[in-house]
Amino acid sequence: MNQFDDSKKKLAEAAESTKEAVKDAAQTARDSAKEFAQETRASAREAAQTTREAAHQAMDKAQEGLRAVEKELSPAIDDLSARAQEFCNKGIHLCAEGTDRARRHFQQAAETTTRYVVEQPGKSILMAAAAGAAIAAAFLLGRRR
């Protein structure tokens, strides 16, 4: 039985040795996994920070670009505004001139008509009667249709 006991003892030692090796392997795997997770987390944090910085830089560049465009366009906008104001002023001036010219023409026509009526009262009455008759005839013809 000696050989059997020896084999049993060797088998027990091999089992214990295997058990220790599995424990060591499991601990090594846990340590490796933990280290990998920590490194991955650190890499993810670095990537997130780098992405934030890149986004901030992009926003800063975009703001600088907008300020540059605004600065470049500001004189053009001011010029267009001044031109628009100038055109408005010219339009107002032209309307005022047209109104004044029309008032002078109407006044001149009224004076000419008054002078003609004073100088030719008979003809004026006949012309007024003819104009009234023509308007009445046009009105009556328009009603019949």
Side-chain angles (χ1 to χ4, degrees):
M1 228 37 161
N2 210 356
Q3 193 176 12
F4 180 71
D5 287 334
D6 237 4
S7 292
K8 196 176 176 183
K9 187 177 178 186
K10 284 184 182 181
L11 187 59
E13 286 175 6
E16 187 62 34
S17 176
T18 303
K19 184 178 173 184
E20 287 297 317
V22 168
K23 268 187 178 178
D24 289 345
Q27 185 62 39
T28 302
R30 270 193 301 252
D31 291 344
S32 294
K34 185 176 180 180
E35 185 179 332
F36 177 75
Q38 288 172 345
E39 289 174 4
T40 303
R41 189 177 341 170
S43 293
R45 284 182 184 151
E46 287 177 26
Q49 184 61 32
T50 303
T51 303
R52 275 191 216 102
E53 289 172 2
H56 286 298
Q57 288 175 356
M59 285 178 47
D60 290 345
K61 284 183 181 180
Q63 286 177 341
E64 287 174 18
L66 286 174
R67 282 189 217 107
V69 167
E70 181 183 18
K71 186 177 180 181
E72 188 175 317
L73 290 179
S74 186
I77 291 170
D78 292 343
D79 184 50
L80 288 175
S81 177
R83 284 183 178 182
Q85 184 66 39
E86 184 180 327
F87 285 133
C88 287
N89 289 338
K90 283 182 180 181
I92 290 169
H93 182 70
L94 288 174
C95 285
E97 282 182 4
T99 302
D100 188 47
R101 195 174 336 150
R103 186 173 35 260
R104 283 190 310 232
H105 283 292
F106 283 126
Q107 190 172 359
Q108 187 180 16
E111 289 172 2
T112 302
T113 303
T114 303
R115 192 176 15 191
Y116 184 81
V117 169
V118 169
E119 291 174 0
Q120 304 284 331
K123 283 185 181 179
S124 298
I125 290 173
L126 287 175
M127 288 173 73
I135 292 172
F139 179 72
L140 289 174
L141 286 175
R143 274 185 99 188
R144 286 186 186 163
R145 288 185 181 176

